[in-house]
Structures are given as structure tokens and as C-alpha cells.
Amino acid sequence: MKPTHIEHIGIAVNKLDEAIPYYEKLLGTTCYAIEEVADQKVRTAFFKIGQTKIELLESLDPEGPVGKFIEKKGEGIHHIAFAVNGLEESIQEVKSNGIRLIDEQPRKGAEGLHIAFLHPKSTFGVLTELCEDKNTGK
Ligand code: CMX
């Protein structure tokens, strides 16, 4: 597997409304999209810096993945996402290397990307996402 770039970094925040103005100033760019990902129980806000995005994550449910994360660890970096060509092949490769998968099959994530998560207990404590944009193949 050879990721092409860091697609995004996910940052858990308590309130998008409070975090967005900070990131707009820090990055010198406006938030270009806000999207609810109902099955992940989050609302997301996106910024672009070069090829990489910053994804702010606000929990919609204390029992969801970001709600539980914030309850346990507080706000902060939640995951890192690598862009790959060929997500299904990448999942198989990761699996054959004995890395624990959260998603055995690709599923739909924010921005219409196809995604799969690797378990942080298998990745040196970093929740890791692989993603592919089927439109561009990256
Ligand atoms: N980064 C690093 N470690 C994490 C973590 C994270 N984001 N989330 C949980 N963990 C750790 C926990 O601290 C815990 O460690 P300890 O056992 O040492 O305390 C361990 O992983 C298991 O955690 P848990 O609380 O027992 O399990 P959860 O029910 O919270 O599930 C996880 C954890 C990663 C499997 C779950 O959050 C998941 O499936 N995540 C993938 C989906 C996701 O995160 N979606 C939100 C973003 C969606 C988007 O980008 O659109």
C-alpha cells in the first residue's frame, strides 16, 4: 500500500460554532462545507490546506464514536486519514498484515468518500482511516 497523501486530519471539538472561527483565522481560509454524517453521529466542518483537509467533528450523540472520545480524552486529534488508490485492495493488504480492522468493507464517509477505519489498538494508538475518492481514484 502506498497512500498518495494525507487526505484529512479529524479533530474532535465540543462545538463547531466555537471552533470554526479559530480555524478560519489560523488557516486564513473559510470553512467550505458543513455536513452531518448521521450514521457516525457527527456534524463535520471542512477546511482545505493544499491537498489536505482539516475535518472538525462535533458529536451529535454522547454514545457515538466522537462523543465517547471527548468524554474520555477531551477535545483533540481524533484520527488521521490517508488517501489510497484501490481501497478494497488496501483493506485486504492491511488485513493480511495482521492489522485489526474496524471496517472490513468500504463504507460511505463525509464528502462522498469511500472509507475504512483501522483500530487504534493495532496502529500505535492512532485511529487511522483509509479513504478513496471514487471520482478521482484518490
Ligand atoms: N484515537 C485513539 N484511541 C482511541 C480513539 C481514537 N480516536 N477512540 C477510542 N480509542 C481507544 C480508547 O481510548 C480505548 O482505549 P483503552 O482501552 O486503552 O482505554 C480503546 O480505543 C477502545 O475504546 P472503547 O471506548 O472501548 O471503544 P469505542 O466503543 O469508543 O470504540 C473505536 C473505539 C475506535 C473502535 C470507535 O470509535 C470507532 O469505530 N471509530 C471509527 C468511526 C469513527 O471514529 N467515526 C467518527 C468520524 C467519522 C468521520 O470522520 O466522518
Side-chain angles (χ1 to χ4, degrees):
M1 190 173 72
K2 200 166 186 293
T4 54
H5 59 283
I6 293 174
E7 212 283 334
H8 66 267
I9 295 171
I11 300 175
V13 301
N14 285 323
K15 296 257 172 251
L16 285 187
D17 292 351
E18 289 171 11
I20 287 172
Y22 166 76
Y23 278 96
E24 288 189 331
K25 282 206 187 77
L26 179 78
L27 304 174
T29 186
T30 49
C31 165
Y32 72 85
I34 294 182
E35 181 183 343
E36 186 170 316
V37 187
D39 71 320
Q40 294 298 304
K41 302 180 170 76
V42 291
R43 209 157 64 94
T44 63
F46 283 96
F47 302 84
K48 197 149 193 192
I49 327 161
Q51 258 191 303
T52 300
K53 297 166 195 157
I54 297 291
E55 177 187 30
L56 302 182
L57 299 154
E58 176 188 278
S59 175
L60 297 174
D61 180 342
E63 290 306 312
V66 173
K68 284 170 83 174
F69 176 86
I70 287 184
E71 172 66 22
K72 203 164 182 176
K73 300 188 194 225
E75 294 175 300
I77 293 182
H78 179 261
H79 67 270
I80 184 164
F82 296 103
V84 296
N85 290 321
L87 180 58
E88 287 178 27
E89 296 79 358
S90 299
I91 291 172
Q92 287 317 314
E93 190 178 333
V94 162
K95 195 174 175 182
S96 68
N97 281 299
I99 295 165
R100 188 170 152 198
L101 294 162
I102 293 171
D103 302 300
E104 299 253 346
Q105 300 292 331
R107 61 186 165 89
K108 277 264 178 78
E111 300 210 295
L113 295 179
H114 293 233
I115 66 169
F117 280 95
L118 317 184
H119 200 284
K121 287 294 169 193
S122 210
T123 58
F124 302 90
V126 178
L127 177 59
T128 302
E129 178 181 343
L130 305 179
C131 52
E132 181 174 39
D133 184 342
K134 287 282 187 186
N135 295 318
T136 65
K138 284 182 186 169

